[in-house]
Structure formats: C-alpha cells, structure tokens
Amino acid sequence: MFDFAGLRRDMSLTATGGGTGDMDSFDYDIAVIGRGPVGLTMAMSAAQHGMKTAVIEKHRDLYGLPRAGHVDHEIMRLFQKFGIVDDVLADCYPTTEYVWVNAHGETLLEFDWGETSVSGYNSDYMQFQPVFENALGRKLAAAPSNTDFLGWQLVSFEEAGGGVRCTIARTETAPGSHVPVVTDETQTFTARFLVACDGANSSVRQTLGIERDDLGFNEKWLVIDARKKRELAFEFDCGQICDPRRPTTVLPLGKRHRRWEWAVLPGEDPQSLLTEEAAWRLLGELGMGPDDLEIVRQLVYTFEARHAREWRRGPVFLAGDAAHTMPPFMGQGMCSGMRDAVNLAWKMDLVRRGIASDALLDTYEPERSPHTEAWTRISLEAGKVPCTLDPAQAEERDRKFRQGWLPPMPDFPQLRQGVIARNAAGAPLHLAGTLSLQRRVETAGKVLLADTVFGTGFTLLGLGFDPNEILNPQQKEGLERIGGSIVSVGDHGGGSARDAEGDYARWFEEQGICAVLTRPDFYLFGTAQTPADLGGLVDDLLSGLCLTAAAEASAT
C-alpha cells in the first residue's frame, strides 16, 4: 500500500475524469509534494490566489542548512511579491562581480553582477537559504487557505473525477537518523491538481514512468558551508578558481556564512573528503582555520544535467528539480524551479475558477521547459571552463581566453512560446516574453516600487495617459475578470502614480512604446506602440488565455 513501486508504472492520469468516479468538489485545489524552496513558492503563490492547498513534507521541520546560494533579481522581485524581501535583504550579500580565474590568478571570465536590473534590484545576490525559507514558512503558516502536513509522505495517488486522490502516511525518524520512514497511520484526500516539487529523485516522476534526458554532465564536488566566527576579508571573494589540480568555488552565503566547493578528482574516494581532517586541510590551503570558521555542512554532491521529457500527466505536474537539474555554475537551478511554480500557479487559478479552460495548463511545459533547458546549456558551457583537469588543455584554454575567446554560451533565455503576443508569422512581438520593468513611483506622498502600488496580477500600464479611456467596456470587463489592473504612470492626473525618477519615461521612449501588458509572473505579454494598439493587445491576451465559453459570454 505504501510502496510507489507497486503502482502501475504506465499510469495515465487525465484531466477529464473517468477514473474512480466523478466528484463535484475537491478537498484541496492543489496538493504540493515537497516543502523545499519550489514547494514553498508553489504553496505561497497558490495562497495569494486564494487556492486551498495541502503541502506534504516527509520531514517535520524545514531543512536548516543551505543548498542554493544564489538568487537573481527576478527572485528578489518574487520575494517582494510574497512580502519577505526585507527579511531576505537583511542577510543578503549583493554581489558586484562573479570572477573566474586560472591557477595563476589571471581573470578568465567576469560577470557584472552589480548593475541595477530591470526588476528594480541588484542583478544578483548571494544568500543563506534558511533565511528566506523560514520567512516563507512563517507567511505560509499564517495563510488560512494553506494546510501543512509536516511529517507526512505521499504513498499513493490515483485519478479521481478529473483530479487526484492522494494517500499520505505519517512518518517517524529514529533517534540518530535523518531519514523518515512511513508508519501505518494514513489519510486520504482529493485535490484538483498535484504538483511534484519532490526533488531530483522525485517519487511522483518515477511512479509515472517519466524519463529524463541526460544532457551530459555528471561531476562530484565536495561542498563545505561555514559560519564566520569573525569578520573576514577575502582577496578572492566570489567566483571560480579554474585550477586543473583541483577546481575550486569560493562564495559568500549572505553576510554571516561562506561556501567552498572542490572538485572530486578522478580516482579519488569521495568518502575520504568527508572527514574533519580533510575539511581543514582544504580550507587551510585557502588561509582559513578553526578560529575563523565553524563548519555547518560538509558533503559530496553530484552535479548533473537532466531534463524530464514530460512535465504534465493530466492533473499531475512536475516542477523544480523533479523536472530539471543543472550544474550550479550560473546559480540558476533553484531560481528556475521557483519560476516554474509562479508560472503554474496563476494558470491553475484561472482554470479552477472556471475562467480558463484546462488547455491553458498545456502552456506550462512549452513556456518553462525551453527556458530551463537554455539555462542548463548555459551552465554546461560555463562549467566546462573550471572542470578542465588536464594541465595542457587548461593552458590552451587560458591562451584562448588571453586572445579574447569566450565560451559559446546561448543567449540568456526569454519566453518564446505560450501566452505571449505574436505577429502574423507567429514570432513574439516587441519585448513579449521578456521581464517587465519595475521602478519607483510616487503616490499619496510615498515613493515605492511599482509592484507594491499596482499589484502583481495582469497589469496594463500606460505612460502619460489612462488606458481606461481607450478600452471598450468588454475589454475592461475581461481584464477585471482575470484579476487584471489598469494603471498609468505620469503626471496627467486621473489617479496615476508619478514616475518618481523618470525611469519609465526613459525606458518607454527607448523602446518606442506607450504601454505594457504584464503577466502575474512578471513577464510581458506584449507592448503597444500607440494607444490605438491597446484594444487589440487586450483582445489577444484574452484569446490566448483559453477562456471558457462562460467567461467569453460574460465579457460580451
């Protein structure tokens, strides 16, 4: 009963019912499996949409140690949306650069991480993961629509009336062990959707028999995280030491912690690196000792690149590491998973409210899978630089860098498919699928970041005019029905917010546009060059959202 292997490997879950009987309602809108950063993001996004959510986590407490160390500006904007950005910023380390040097200290690559981003924050930050997880956990615990099942594990699931019937079992952890095991105490409930945020070894993915493509990276690295006992200065603060004798990563983790990573060399026993003696030997080579640091985590990770071939099976969805894993060299693994969750949540909300048809959920994988695969390939190309272990190859690499060579990395990704505005040939319109601009606006005597003023649902923002004066009643009603806002920035009155620092005016002029239409996940659906383009832009959005017949009828 409790063995996933006992379930049918070819289980076919459909969203049209016909399994164990139809149901008029579900106990929960979403069952989230796993309470790591992706599961927390999924549950918090669902809570903000008012969706009733069950979060199943086999451990009783949040994992108290860091895993991912990097977040980018898009994730900081998400923390703003969740109301925890001040908690995160209090311990975050805003990085100004990410540098890769060779064995002689020569700079090979340098990423500018100090600029102000389109999202209104520094482009990149290093952070201590338990800080934001604890802040998110507190927010989630206070959400009336959320139920946490801590110390429970999903043991079976089956199709039920167009949703999923889940059976969970209470877990126990024996003294001295960190591995929970299931007991005979069980509960069963139903959910409209199930989202598997249960990591790279996802039991849900394995139960469904979904295969993953191996993109060709399997490397073991020793990771040591440490708390600083005193203030320390580092000549090399954040980056990769691309030394073929042993590639090394050096990173801050917020303001109080540090991380070091070392490649496990060919023929080396990984277990030999897990002793206290080995830790202080490696740290000592970098000038660190017990008077400087307290080691809080020491383990060997296998960095891999895997991509699931399916992200949806009926009402069951994969997100985060359950769907994709990537090497850590660009710091985009966790960030990508959190993007998955935000993308999925607003679509599920429209479907469960009967506004959009189930077909809208078919846009999840086409939007997110290419985006994460692009980041994976960028990370793979980047990882080839420090992972060069042959001294002759490393010297040739260094010579090429001195001559101006750069790795053949793909462009940073944007949405190219799904719910974005397109021209007649099917190509994305200007800026569609890119992140929207967030800057400071003034309203009621206060200067705030725009999302705080305008909200983070669908947002139609006009510069210097009120879009309400352009749209017809049906278009305005359609935006209202999907939870949209119609706002403006400028000094023209009509309840607009003032462009506090002129950033919107400059950016709109550079782009040759007068309005933008932003999705709830911060991506632009599209832009308008003139006010006359607004009606068509809104019509295209409403059409692209796969509105149900009832929703379309109410807007006419």
Side-chain angles (χ1 to χ4, degrees):
M1 180 176 181
F2 305 126
D3 185 5
F4 273 103
L7 296 177
R8 287 182 292 122
R9 304 294 292 188
D10 61 347
M11 178 185 293
S12 177
L13 295 177
T14 70
T16 57
T20 58
D22 292 333
M23 294 181 297
D24 294 330
S25 61
F26 301 93
D27 297 316
Y28 297 96
D29 293 311
I30 306 175
V32 177
I33 313 304
R35 200 172 183 262
V38 179
L40 284 167
T41 301
M42 188 72 227
M44 192 67 215
S45 298
Q48 290 194 321
H49 288 293
M51 287 187 274
K52 194 175 181 183
T53 305
V55 182
I56 297 92
E57 171 54 57
K58 62 185 178 182
H59 297 281
R60 296 187 183 277
D61 300 299
L62 283 170
Y63 188 71
L65 296 174
R67 282 87 75 210
H70 166 264
V71 294
D72 61 23
H73 56 91
E74 187 178 348
I75 304 305
M76 292 301 291
R77 190 172 181 181
L78 180 59
F79 292 152
Q80 178 191 339
K81 178 175 183 172
F82 290 159
I84 65 166
V85 71
D86 289 340
D87 299 85
V88 178
L89 286 172
D91 189 63
C92 256
Y93 185 94
T95 55
T96 58
E97 58 186 10
Y98 180 42
V99 181
W100 300 31
V101 300
N102 64 14
H104 311 293
E106 295 178 276
T107 297
L108 302 179
L109 279 171
E110 187 170 1
F111 298 87
D112 183 4
W113 278 7
E115 62 183 9
T116 300
S117 70
V118 67
S119 303
Y121 294 92
N122 279 24
S123 64
D124 297 86
Y125 297 80
M126 300 304 298
Q127 50 79 42
F128 187 65
Q129 187 171 331
V131 170
F132 83 75
E133 286 189 328
N134 287 329
L136 262 183
R138 290 191 297 270
K139 284 280 187 181
L140 198 55
S145 61
N146 181 76
T147 302
D148 283 333
F149 290 91
L150 300 180
W152 292 82
Q153 183 170 332
L154 179 71
V155 292
S156 69
F157 60 95
E158 61 181 348
E159 179 186 4
V164 185
R165 179 176 284 114
C166 302
T167 298
I168 61 175
R170 187 180 290 279
T171 62
E172 290 182 350
T173 303
S177 172
H178 300 289
V179 181
V181 294
V182 297
T183 69
D184 290 334
E185 181 181 353
T186 66
Q187 294 187 52
T188 298
F189 59 80
T190 59
R192 186 181 303 273
F193 305 114
L194 184 151
V195 183
C197 307
D198 52 344
N201 296 317
S202 170
S203 294
V204 174
R205 187 192 66 239
Q206 293 180 40
T207 297
L208 295 175
I210 295 175
E211 299 292 333
R212 295 185 297 168
D213 290 321
D214 184 344
L215 301 184
F217 191 93
N218 297 277
E219 302 285 346
K220 293 185 183 297
W221 283 60
L222 170 68
V223 178
I224 292 180
D225 295 326
R227 180 184 62 83
K228 295 188 294 184
K229 290 184 175 180
R230 60 184 182 85
E231 285 303 313
L232 301 170
F234 296 90
E235 183 177 350
F236 187 77
D237 181 68
C238 181
Q240 304 284 338
I241 302 173
C242 307
D243 186 342
R245 292 170 296 184
R246 190 185 295 275
T248 304
T249 304
V250 179
L251 300 170
L253 290 183
K255 296 174 181 176
R256 297 170 294 160
H257 296 81
R258 300 285 308 186
R259 168 171 293 171
W260 289 267
E261 299 171 352
W262 294 267
V264 178
L265 301 177
E268 189 171 33
D269 180 7
Q271 293 298 313
S272 69
L273 298 175
L274 295 178
T275 65
E276 184 176 358
E277 179 185 4
W280 290 117
R281 173 175 56 81
L282 291 168
L283 287 167
E285 292 173 359
L286 299 173
M288 296 290 105
D291 292 338
D292 305 308
L293 305 168
E294 173 192 356
I295 295 174
V296 298
R297 191 175 74 137
Q298 179 179 355
L299 78 167
V300 171
Y301 260 122
T302 299
F303 298 148
E304 62 175 27
R306 304 282 194 278
H307 213 73
R309 294 178 182 175
E310 294 178 70
W311 289 33
R312 178 187 188 186
R313 185 75 63 82
V316 178
F317 297 79
L318 307 181
D321 284 357
H324 51 81
T325 57
M326 65 184 73
F329 301 105
M330 296 303 293
Q332 285 296 324
M334 181 185 72
C335 295
S336 294
M338 296 172 79
R339 293 185 190 104
D340 296 343
V342 179
N343 181 295
L344 194 52
W346 66 262
K347 295 173 181 177
M348 286 183 168
D349 175 53
L350 291 178
V351 172
R352 65 105 188 183
R353 287 197 285 138
I355 294 172
S357 74
D358 183 81
L360 177 61
L361 297 174
D362 288 333
T363 67
Y364 167 61
E365 182 178 343
E367 287 189 358
R368 292 298 310 137
S369 181
H371 199 273
T372 55
E373 184 173 349
W375 270 122
T376 303
R377 295 194 182 280
I378 291 170
S379 301
L380 286 169
E381 290 300 327
K384 292 176 183 178
V385 177
C387 290
T388 301
L389 300 180
D390 181 89
Q393 292 178 3
E395 180 55 40
E396 175 62 16
R397 172 202 66 196
D398 296 351
R399 184 190 66 79
K400 290 167 64 178
F401 270 108
R402 293 185 194 106
Q403 295 177 347
W405 176 83
L406 292 174
M409 296 185 192
D411 292 335
F412 285 5
Q414 65 185 66
L415 297 185
R416 305 293 299 178
Q417 302 182 57
V419 187
I420 56 173
R422 304 177 181 283
N423 62 23
L429 291 180
H430 180 51
L431 297 179
T434 65
L435 285 169
S436 62
L437 181 72
Q438 179 182 218
R439 288 295 184 264
R440 297 188 181 277
V441 297
E442 182 180 358
T443 183
K446 295 182 179 180
V447 176
L448 302 165
L449 284 169
D451 289 355
T452 305
V453 177
F454 299 142
T456 55
F458 289 98
T459 304
L460 177 61
L461 184 151
L463 178 71
F465 71 99
D466 184 357
N468 280 291
E469 298 175 356
I470 307 298
L471 301 181
N472 65 39
Q474 291 76 25
Q475 291 159 347
K476 287 188 280 189
E477 198 278 337
L479 283 176
E480 181 180 0
R481 187 167 178 77
I482 64 173
S485 300
I486 301 173
V487 301
S488 54
V489 171
D491 299 311
H492 57 281
S496 67
R498 190 177 69 84
D499 188 2
E501 295 163 352
D503 290 328
Y504 281 102
R506 285 189 289 272
W507 186 75
F508 274 57
E509 182 178 5
E510 289 171 1
Q511 300 299 331
I513 59 177
C514 70
V516 295
L517 183 50
T518 302
R519 308 180 345 165
D521 52 9
F522 314 128
Y523 285 85
L524 286 171
F525 170 77
T527 63
Q529 292 182 313
T530 69
D533 299 328
L534 284 188
L537 187 65
V538 172
D539 289 341
D540 286 347
L541 171 65
L542 297 176
S543 174
L545 289 177
C546 307
L547 298 185
T548 61
E552 290 176 342
S554 69
T556 59

